[in-house]
Each structure stands twice: as structure tokens, then as C-alpha cells.
Amino acid sequence: MTITQPDLSVFETLESEVRGYCRNWPTIFDRAQGSHMYDEDGHTYLDFFAGAGSLNYGHNNPVLKRALIDYIERDGVTHGLDMSTVAKRAFLEAFQNVVLRPRDLPYKVMFPGPTGTNAVESALKLARKVKGRESIVSFTNAFHGMSLGSLAVTGNAFKRAGAGIPLVHGTPMPFDAYLDGQTPDFIWFERLLEDSGSGLNKPAAVIVETVQGEGGINVARAEWLRALAELCERHDMLLIVDDIQMGCGRTGAFFSFEEAGITPDIVTVSKSISGYGLPMSLTLFKPELDIWEPGEHNGTFRGNNPAFVTATAALETYWADGQMEKQTLARGEQVESAMSEIAREHPEAVADYRGRGLVWGMEMTDKAAASRIARRAFELGLLVETSGPESEVVKLLPALTISPEELDEGLRILARAVRETL
């Protein structure tokens, strides 16, 4: 693909230096549909990024778009704070009937604000309120958001440094396989909890991602997650699962923790819960934890009613039967096969590949190679990002609705980008 240099001057002169993704993809996007994006010059890009996981059903999904247009055209409520609305009622009923009841999950639903970090902040606040303790345990290479409470339980040193103040009341522990299997799971954590001289304040909660997306596609084993849930129960700590990027079907099941057979005390959900890329997040928790006073945690944009509309349409369209989960797992096998072939072709360059469902990462031996591969993939018409503490992992996050043919096309482009970069 030949790409003419677009005029990016207004972005470079007026927009803050904090901008990120646009630096890796130096073009001006204009339209998007399904698994494709189009720039203003008409170039086509296959999207293996999916809005960082917020577009699990693709761009401008026609079913969701129709529901949204119909709602707007009838002057449905757009902004509703936490008022009761027809759109919110429809979403809550669909969420209860399609997601919670079939999984025998007892959760109350809280609308904490429009973003993932809003959900995490409310989860941490609630855990501290319930337990009367301030300390939260998180895990190495975790990512939970960019506001101060979320940053305090995030591992990445670069992102933490942006806070400008000490990030306190959080303690990191080793994630699954962090110590390469050299020590039994949780031996350090449990020893600290049991030793009154350890200096660890008893935690209110533990927060964990079942698959660390920004941390490098680090996949926790089901048995590790079960052991963590048991540890939390033994020591009177709440278990928070951050399902912001890995929920809504990304790993196969609607919630990423289902495979492990655990029921977290608190779950945070965002990104693809609206299904259309509209800002929306949920904090879910067991009923006995619902000790909030009215208005104790609020926010202006909790009631994004257009997001409720598209979220309801997504649940009823894709989650009323078990087909989406089966399809995602089948597509995941397709990705795993292609990753295996790339690793076989380049044994010196590919340190590892790993994933679940339709989230996969390819770790490069030369850490800088991942960014070069992503850059070459863009030149060839494929959008992929990198992750990991040193951006050493090529990260694949295609829409769950991608066709087998589109997936094959993107994987061929990725293989070519690897060959041409190394």
C-alpha cells in the first residue's frame, strides 16, 4: 500500500503531546465498518485493535446502529444522570436475563461513570468502605486505569510516574508465572498475611485481571485464579476481578473468570459493554456489599442512555444463545495456529506467544522488534498495537465478529510484517 503523507499539522500544533495511538498510525481516519477502517484518502486498514477492546462487535455494527438511530430519532433521553429511564430499564432487564441469571450470578449493578477507571475507583472505594481497611493488593504488570486510585494498583512505572505524587495504599504481589514456577503460588503473599511482623497492613481487597492486556497478554491459569479466590476467602479479603478489557466475550465466555469457576465479590466492566464504542461502565458486586449511601459515589455521565440502548441490542443479539462463545473460541484456535507457524518460522525472534479466545500476544526476543513489526503491519494495512512493560509484545485484539477470511488476511499480513522486519 502506498500512503501519501497526510497533513497532520493541526494535531501536531494544537493537540497535546500526550496523544499516543495517532503517533503509531500517522493517517487521518474517516470511516469504519465491521473490521475495517478507512482513511480520508481511501486506504483500507484491517483492524486488529478494535478500540482497545471496546469494539468487540466491530465498527458501526448494523444491528446496534439501527437501534441507536431509532432511539435518537424518537427523541429518546440522551443524558439522564442516574434517573430511571426506559433505556436503562431495558438494559438492566436484558443484563439480568441474558447475563446474570443464566450464570447464577447474584450481582447488584452500579453505574459509576463512563470509563473503566471510574469502575475501578468505585470498586476500590467500596471494598475499603465494606472492610474498613485501606490497603489493596494488586499484581505485577497489572493495569487498572489512569486516575490516582487505579494508578496505585497499576504496575507500569512510566504510567505511575505521571501521577506526580506518591501512589499509596497498594501492595504488588507476583502474578501467575512471574517467578517462572520457582516458588509455590502465593507462598510469599500468605506468609506476609500470617506474619504480624511482615509490615503488610491487612488488605481490604485483591484486584486482578485474568489476562493482563496492557501488561503483555499474561494469562492466569484457572487453578491459580481458584487458589487466589480461596486465599481471599480464608483471609477475609474481597476479590475484585477487573474485566474491563477481557470481559464481554473477549476470552470466550461473557466474563473471563467463568472458566475458573469462581464468583468474584466485585467485578468491573467497561469497554465493550455498550457494544458500540459509547462510554459506559459497570461495577458489579454481591448484594451484601451494597452499603452505599444514596449519592455517596456519583458522576454526571453515569446515565449515557444511547449506550444503554446499544448495550441492550448487543446482549439480545449476541448473548441470548451460546454461539458467540463458540465462535470466539474457534477464531482463537485460528489465531493460535498462525502464531505457532510464525514462531516456528522465526524461533530465534519469537520468545513466546500466548492468549485466550480472541486476545493474543507475541513476545519478541528483541524487545524493540514488536514496535517495528506493528509499524510495518500498518504500512501493509493492518492495525495492531504493542503491550508489555517494554512494548515487547505484539498484541492482537480483533473484533469477535470478524470473519474467518478477514482473520486469515490479517494473520497473513502479520506474518509478512514479521518476515520483513526481522
Side-chain angles (χ1 to χ4, degrees):
M1 176 182 343
T2 303
I3 301 176
T4 55
Q5 186 61 36
D7 181 5
L8 299 169
S9 58
V10 68
F11 306 103
E12 293 168 348
T13 59
L14 193 58
E15 192 177 357
S16 166
E17 292 299 317
V18 79
R19 64 192 188 279
Y21 293 115
C22 57
R23 297 178 188 274
N24 300 323
W25 300 324
T27 192
I28 300 174
F29 294 103
D30 180 42
R31 296 184 302 112
Q33 209 288 314
S35 287
H36 290 91
M37 297 190 74
Y38 306 88
D39 68 19
E40 63 179 355
D41 293 322
H43 299 117
T44 302
Y45 300 85
L46 191 53
D47 186 4
F48 274 26
F49 175 63
S54 61
L55 295 165
N56 280 3
Y57 313 105
H59 295 271
N60 287 302
N61 181 288
V63 176
L64 311 191
K65 179 166 66 174
R66 185 71 262 160
L68 179 59
I69 290 171
D70 288 348
Y71 184 76
I72 292 170
E73 285 186 336
R74 74 166 185 82
D75 291 331
V77 172
T78 294
H79 180 272
L81 293 160
D82 70 350
M83 291 183 284
S84 300
T85 64
V86 168
K88 186 199 279 190
R89 179 178 62 196
F91 168 74
L92 285 169
E93 289 173 348
F95 194 70
Q96 183 176 49
N97 294 331
V98 176
V99 175
L100 297 181
R101 277 185 180 149
R103 293 162 179 80
D104 198 25
L105 293 172
Y107 297 133
K108 297 288 288 290
V109 179
M110 175 182 177
F111 299 99
T115 72
T117 200
N118 290 127
V120 170
E121 294 285 356
S122 66
L124 301 180
K125 185 189 287 188
L126 180 61
R128 288 169 169 140
K129 180 178 172 66
V130 167
K131 292 300 181 185
R133 310 177 207 132
E134 87 288 347
S135 179
I136 305 288
V137 166
S138 57
F139 290 94
T140 49
N141 291 312
F143 179 80
H144 295 291
M146 298 298 283
S147 50
L148 292 179
S150 302
L151 271 180
V153 290
T154 287
N156 187 285
F158 172 74
K159 291 183 172 68
R160 288 175 64 88
I165 62 169
L167 295 170
V168 296
H169 311 304
T171 303
M173 290 289 166
F175 191 71
D176 191 14
Y178 186 75
L179 299 173
D180 300 321
Q182 295 176 32
T183 60
D185 295 334
F186 306 115
I187 189 169
W188 171 242
F189 191 1
E190 192 138 33
R191 183 70 57 84
L192 291 177
L193 289 168
E194 292 172 349
D195 182 1
S196 60
S198 70
L200 175 67
N201 292 336
K202 184 165 185 177
V206 176
I207 185 167
V208 68
E209 303 154 273
T210 66
V211 181
Q212 294 182 325
E214 299 304 309
I217 317 302
N218 306 312
V219 182
R221 293 167 295 138
E223 54 266 36
W224 186 86
L225 291 168
R226 285 193 290 270
L228 176 61
E230 291 164 6
L231 177 71
C232 288
E233 188 170 1
R234 279 199 308 277
H235 290 277
D236 187 34
M237 302 178 295
L238 298 178
L239 177 60
I240 305 169
V241 167
D242 181 341
D243 231 9
I244 287 165
Q245 189 167 84
M246 298 304 153
C248 302
R250 177 53 57 181
T251 64
F254 188 86
F255 294 111
S256 70
F257 56 80
E258 290 181 51
E259 182 189 31
I262 61 174
T263 303
D265 298 293
I266 304 175
V267 182
T268 59
V269 181
S270 187
K271 294 214 183 266
S272 273
I273 188 60
S274 82
Y276 204 75
L278 299 175
M280 179 178 172
S281 71
L282 310 175
T283 306
L284 312 175
F285 39 83
K286 293 179 177 177
E288 61 269 25
L289 305 181
D290 193 11
I291 63 170
W292 293 114
E293 296 291 334
E296 191 175 6
H297 187 93
N298 57 26
T300 304
F301 294 101
R302 289 168 293 160
N304 185 356
N305 281 254
F308 297 153
V309 170
T310 54
T312 302
L315 294 178
E316 292 177 344
T317 303
Y318 293 104
W319 293 99
D321 56 29
Q323 293 310 304
M324 176 57 76
E325 180 174 351
K326 292 176 185 174
Q327 177 177 299
T328 298
L329 295 175
R331 301 283 191 276
E333 290 175 4
Q334 214 177 324
V335 177
E336 184 175 15
S337 177
M339 289 278 203
S340 173
E341 183 60 26
I342 294 172
R344 187 195 62 76
E345 189 177 336
H346 308 281
E348 302 296 320
V350 179
D352 189 22
Y353 64 92
R354 51 192 179 258
R356 280 179 61 197
L358 272 176
V359 52
W360 285 84
M362 182 170 62
E363 182 179 348
M364 307 308 295
T365 306
D366 171 9
K367 298 182 189 303
S371 294
R372 295 196 300 269
I373 291 166
R375 191 159 49 245
R376 181 58 182 147
F378 169 74
E379 294 168 355
L380 296 170
L382 177 69
L383 303 180
V384 293
E385 68 165 332
T386 60
S387 71
E390 298 179 68
S391 297
E392 73 276 19
V393 176
V394 180
K395 180 181 181 183
L396 307 188
L397 214 63
L400 307 185
T401 51
I402 194 168
S403 70
E405 295 76 22
E406 290 168 331
L407 195 53
D408 270 339
E409 179 190 353
L411 292 167
R412 284 195 300 271
I413 294 173
L414 177 65
R416 178 181 168 188
V418 173
R419 280 194 303 271
E420 294 182 1
T421 301
L422 299 178

